[in-house]
Amino acid sequence: MTRGPWIDHFGDNFLWSNATLILKGMAPYGVVSIEEIDRCCERLRPRWNEADRGKAWFEEWRALGDQIEKRGDAALAKNHKITAGDYYLRAGIYHYNAERFIVPGPEKKAQCGHAYKVWHQGIRLRQPNVEFIEVPYEGTTLPALFMKAPGDGAKPTVVVVNGMDNAKEMSIFFCGLEFARRGYNTLCLDGPGMGEMRRMRDMPSRYDYEVPGAAALDFLLTRPEVDGKRVAIMGYSFGGYYSSRIAAFEKRYAACIALSALHWDLAAWQQKIKDANRNAPGSVAQSNFQWRWVAGAKDEDEGIEIAKKFSLKDVARNITCPFLVTHAGNDRVVPVENAQKLYDAVGSKNKTIKIFTTEEGGAEHAHVDNRQIGIDFAADWLGDNM
């Protein structure tokens, strides 16, 4: 099935198209504007051939973020708090998107700091039900957002861990809002290597993600709003590895969702990206520094060595709770066959696999072309199985 420019905004330039589609996928939750995205992308279109494409990307998205942020300031000055919150939510995600291709360093950190400042202004104004949390973890804390389900009493709860490029500020909308409508609390966590934890606190990822996974659960068990016997772990994109690894070793979780499987051989994938970035940088979804930065590696080769530890091959059989893996049939980031490999290896007797086709939507990586259909399926499955 041929897919239109909605999916591939920059044609064969998959690097920019995929980054744009991630933003477009947030449209159902009112935190981006398709018109604003289109306006920015049209300014970007002639800039792909510039020597520093990362700078071009940063300049255009930063300019859009600044413009929308100033409109928020103007609305707030008139005490129009709801309108200001809407502007800040959009400005925050545009500012966050601007840092995507900036090489790690002071400029990247400063841009991220500004993004979080604006983003959090928007959340506080538009979603007062969201609580800003610091989860105790190995002598420090992990930042998280907690959205309570409506009503009194202890409720089932979902812990959500992000993908490599995403953030809890995105998860709380496309996951938290949907789970809350179904009576679930949601804790969206920036663990090691993710979002604010990598960008502002300089903590790289770790393969044994059951450690931060256990810390999140320990925290939730102190909350009266949480039914401790009904807490699920969910990850999307790269988080599909994290959630599965957590479920394999932290048996207190009552269910597990991998909203997209990860590569069965992550090291081979990173080698492929390394080679592609030398020859055809527009053909891949990831910059040449992203993984090694997330992993805390000094260079690409060390990153490939570290990637060998991020494998579910020998641990998936330890997953015994109800388990769901979804995947996109037209996934060009993680080939769809990896979902079947994960499903086959999982030890649970109650396991489900769902592959979304182009005809039904949700067929791009982690369902970013139609987030609604992916999260609805996951939420309904959770209601039936936990």
Side-chain angles (χ1 to χ4, degrees):
M1 177 179 176
T2 302
R3 314 212 76 187
W6 164 260
I7 305 299
D8 292 313
H9 197 110
F10 292 97
D12 292 337
N13 177 0
F14 185 56
L15 184 71
W16 281 10
S17 289
N18 180 69
T20 302
L21 186 58
I22 291 171
L23 281 191
K24 290 179 179 179
M26 298 300 295
Y29 311 99
V31 295
V32 297
S33 161
I34 296 300
E35 184 275 332
E36 290 164 357
I37 292 172
D38 186 68
R39 195 157 18 105
C40 184
C41 288
E42 287 309 298
R43 290 196 296 265
L44 269 170
R45 196 177 296 281
R47 301 192 65 181
W48 172 251
N49 291 323
E50 293 183 12
D52 191 341
R53 293 183 289 264
K55 181 181 179 183
W57 181 270
F58 164 74
E59 288 176 345
E60 297 298 349
W61 286 106
R62 172 73 194 219
L64 178 61
D66 285 343
Q67 180 187 66
I68 304 307
E69 181 187 348
K70 288 176 182 176
R71 293 177 183 175
D73 292 341
L76 191 61
K78 297 177 182 179
N79 205 34
H80 298 163
K81 294 182 179 179
I82 293 176
T83 297
D86 285 336
Y87 278 125
Y88 289 145
L89 285 174
R90 300 205 306 276
I93 200 170
Y94 300 150
H95 280 308
Y96 185 78
N97 190 50
E99 68 82 41
R100 175 179 282 265
F101 303 122
I102 301 174
V103 174
E107 184 183 22
K108 188 180 189 75
K109 192 170 187 176
Q111 177 63 20
C112 289
H114 187 75
Y116 285 120
K117 173 182 173 290
V118 177
W119 225 345
H120 293 175
Q121 281 181 288
I123 291 172
R124 289 187 169 99
L125 287 168
R126 292 295 285 117
Q127 293 292 334
N129 184 39
V130 172
E131 184 178 350
F132 288 74
I133 298 293
E134 292 291 337
V135 174
Y137 169 77
E138 295 196 334
T140 184
T141 58
L142 303 174
L145 299 174
F146 184 62
M147 180 178 282
K148 298 177 186 176
D152 299 325
K155 302 293 176 63
T157 302
V158 186
V159 176
V160 179
V161 288
N162 314 301
M164 188 184 297
D165 303 314
N166 305 112
K168 61 188 181 302
E169 290 78 9
M170 298 171 71
S171 307
I172 202 65
F173 284 94
F174 81 85
C175 296
L177 290 174
E178 296 306 325
F179 288 136
R181 294 200 300 176
R182 292 165 168 84
Y184 291 83
N185 304 313
T186 307
L187 181 77
C188 293
L189 182 75
D190 274 352
M194 294 177 188
E196 191 176 353
M197 207 62 204
R198 187 66 186 100
R199 287 158 176 80
M200 303 307 299
R201 308 191 192 185
D202 300 319
M203 182 178 286
S205 189
R206 58 188 297 169
Y207 75 93
D208 52 345
Y209 232 75
E210 63 273 16
V211 181
L217 186 54
D218 288 341
F219 167 79
L220 287 173
L221 294 178
T222 70
R223 302 284 302 224
E225 310 96 330
V226 174
D227 179 350
K229 293 184 178 179
R230 291 192 295 165
V231 180
I233 181 68
M234 176 183 135
Y236 61 97
S237 189
F238 201 99
Y241 165 81
Y242 293 136
S243 62
S244 300
R245 171 80 195 200
I246 291 168
F249 290 95
E250 180 44 83
K251 298 298 185 178
R252 293 177 294 171
Y253 281 103
C256 177
I257 299 172
L259 203 76
S260 178
L262 188 62
H263 293 265
W264 203 241
D265 187 342
L266 180 61
W269 175 49
Q270 289 304 316
Q271 182 64 55
K272 181 178 179 180
I273 288 174
K274 177 184 176 181
D275 296 340
N277 269 311
R278 289 175 177 171
N279 304 313
S283 68
V284 296
Q286 187 184 107
S287 65
N288 61 358
F289 62 78
Q290 187 69 5
W291 165 248
R292 73 171 184 264
W293 178 59
V294 167
K298 67 179 184 292
D299 55 33
E300 289 173 310
D301 291 335
E302 185 180 27
I304 291 169
E305 284 301 309
I306 292 173
K308 293 177 181 178
K309 297 180 179 180
F310 285 73
S311 173
L312 296 171
K313 181 179 179 182
D314 297 322
V315 303
R317 63 176 179 270
N318 296 333
I319 300 173
T320 54
C321 64
F323 181 84
L324 168 67
V325 56
T326 71
H327 210 84
N330 193 50
D331 197 324
R332 291 170 286 173
V333 178
V334 180
V336 65
E337 58 265 23
N338 289 282
Q340 188 66 51
K341 291 177 181 177
L342 175 58
Y343 173 81
D344 291 343
V346 165
S348 176
K349 294 180 180 179
N350 178 1
K351 58 182 178 178
T352 304
I353 185 171
K354 168 63 178 174
I355 308 298
F356 288 89
T357 66
T358 53
E359 286 76 14
E360 61 189 323
E364 298 298 321
H365 178 64
H367 320 306
V368 292
D369 57 317
N370 193 335
R371 287 191 186 274
Q372 193 71 52
I373 194 172
I375 197 63
D376 277 346
F377 186 93
D380 290 343
W381 176 89
L382 196 61
D384 293 339
N385 288 276
M386 185 177 74

